[in-house]
């Protein structure tokens, strides 16, 4: 079982990967499913992890960036 420090580090890496993916694919329409597939995580898990770390949902983050595919 991974230590809390390792889990924290992984979470930070995933959040950075989300932000990098959005930046690399701006201004294309991006869905949360696109991001989850790119990172290789379950969509629900990625959403909860991102919100826990960023205090905002991926959807709202995308809307703020102007890339959310409605």
């Amino acid at each position: 079982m991974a230590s809390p420090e390792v889990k924290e580090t992984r979470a930070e890496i995933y959040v950075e990967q989300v932000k990098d993916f959005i930046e690399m694919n701006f201004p294309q329409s991006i869905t949360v499913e696109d991001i989850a597939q790119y990172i290789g995580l379950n969509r629900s898990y990625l959403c909860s992890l991102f919100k826990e770390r960023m205090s905002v949902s991926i959807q709202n983050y995308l809307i703020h960036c102007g890339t959310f595919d409605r």
Side-chain angles (χ1 to χ4, degrees):
M1 184 174 197
S3 70
E5 294 83 19
V6 170
K7 287 182 180 179
E8 183 71 24
T9 301
R10 283 187 195 154
E12 291 169 6
I13 291 169
Y14 293 143
V15 167
E16 286 305 311
Q17 287 178 326
V18 169
K19 293 176 359 182
D20 289 346
F21 181 85
I22 293 168
E23 185 177 314
M24 288 184 322
N25 291 284
F26 183 83
Q28 299 176 63
S29 292
I30 301 168
T31 66
V32 176
E33 189 62 37
D34 294 334
I35 298 167
Q37 287 180 352
Y38 171 77
I39 294 174
L41 293 177
N42 173 280
R43 182 187 185 280
S44 296
Y45 175 70
L46 180 61
C47 286
S48 64
L49 184 94
F50 190 88
K51 186 162 187 170
E52 181 181 305
R53 299 286 180 256
M54 297 291 292
S55 299
V56 64
S57 69
I58 294 177
Q59 291 91 342
N60 284 338
Y61 189 84
L62 286 168
I63 290 167
H64 176 74
C65 293
T67 63
F68 188 63
D69 183 22
R70 294 184 186 148

